[in-house]
Amino acid sequence: MYEIWLALNIVWEMALLVWPWLLALAVLGAALWLTALARGGARWRAGLSGALGVGVLAAAAAVATLPLWSRSSWSELAYWVDWANLAAIAAGAAGVAAALAWPLLAMGSGKNRRSA
């Protein structure tokens, strides 16, 4: 249980280092979603597969770069909690990337449909 608590503290400390960026990301996400919902004509189902693809790419990038970004290394990932923490952070990055990409792709799909 201590290891899980330590992992959560690491995530918290990483978030504290970049909290202004996280706040800006939340504002950007809210603006994208509100814009897409207000405009109408967005094809949400058509944009979903692209957004999931963006999420997978973001997860792969997070897995590749997070140990270096946190001033660690791949050799330090020796315990299952380390791998679980890395996977959880990568999944969070994937979710955020997909959530930002989905309204953009849905609005883009709606424009293509109207012009055809």
Side-chain angles (χ1 to χ4, degrees):
M1 189 67 179
Y2 170 76
E3 292 88 359
I4 295 171
W5 180 250
L6 180 62
L8 290 173
N9 279 325
I10 290 169
V11 171
W12 177 254
E13 291 297 325
M14 289 173 68
L16 285 178
L17 290 174
V18 294
W19 74 266
W21 290 102
L22 293 175
L23 180 63
L25 192 64
V27 170
L28 174 66
L32 287 173
W33 277 89
L34 290 173
T35 301
L37 291 171
R39 282 190 180 174
R43 295 182 54 211
W44 293 101
R45 193 173 303 240
L48 181 59
S49 62
L52 292 176
V54 169
V56 168
L57 290 175
V63 167
T65 60
L66 276 172
L68 302 173
W69 180 67
S70 63
R71 295 187 180 115
S72 185
S73 68
W74 285 98
S75 64
E76 307 245 355
L77 297 172
Y79 193 50
W80 72 268
V81 175
D82 299 330
W83 287 101
N85 196 25
L86 179 62
I89 295 171
V96 169
L100 291 174
W102 195 10
L104 290 171
L105 293 170
M107 285 188 291
S109 297
K111 288 180 182 176
N112 291 339
R113 184 176 176 203
R114 287 182 188 162
S115 62

